[in-house]
Amino acid sequence: MRKILLTITILFLVSCATKTVMMQTSGGSKTDGTIILSYKYDNFTRVQPDFDNAQRKAEQACSRWGYSGAVRFGAGNRNCISRGNEYDVLPGTCITYRVDYTYQCID
């Protein structure tokens, strides 16, 4: 009984942990000088995006286009990309999200 309780406690604590996620380039426009970086997460995972890594990625992409840097603007757009089906506990609710951040290239 003690082992079961310990296992449940450990699983609970692990599920509450925040996971750092790396953003991936998901779009952009050389003409507009914008880069879009995104990450995905589900309802069962707490995430913290790595904004330092995202800043470096945006600056690298902008420098390939001849710009000197990049600045993130906006709070990010969260979109549902996957909904539960009739077999889920809450059918029709969003279970996977994608969050997009736009970076503006600067001179």
Side-chain angles (χ1 to χ4, degrees), residues 5-6 9 18 38 42 59 67-68 77 103:
L5 185 59
L6 180 63
T9 303
T18 301
S38 305
D42 60 40
E59 288 174 354
Y67 294 95
S68 63
N77 274 334
Y103 286 76

Side-chain angles (χ1 to χ4, degrees), residues 3-98:
K3 287 183 181 183
I4 293 172
L5 185 59
L6 180 63
T7 302
I8 291 171
T9 303
I10 290 172
L11 288 174
F12 176 75
L13 292 174
V14 168
S15 70
C16 292
T18 301
K19 176 183 173 187
T20 300
V21 292
M22 301 295 177
M23 289 193 231
Q24 304 299 319
T25 304
S26 61
S29 167
K30 182 177 180 179
T31 304
D32 295 335
T34 58
I35 303 292
I36 299 171
L37 296 174
S38 305
Y39 67 92
K40 296 176 185 177
Y41 71 97
D42 60 40
N43 282 338
F44 309 106
T45 309
R46 293 181 59 188
V47 296
Q48 173 62 46
D50 186 340
F51 286 112
D52 293 333
N53 181 271
Q55 182 68 37
R56 285 190 296 276
K57 283 184 179 184
E59 288 174 354
Q60 289 170 352
C62 288
S63 73
R64 286 192 297 272
W65 292 344
Y67 294 95
S68 63
V71 176
R72 182 183 69 202
F73 65 91
N77 274 334
R78 183 177 80 159
N79 298 299
C80 180
I81 59 172
S82 177
R83 294 197 177 276
N85 60 34
E86 66 270 13
Y87 303 109
D88 290 326
V89 175
L90 297 171
T93 60
C94 192
I95 56 173
T96 308
Y97 295 94
R98 186 180 82 204

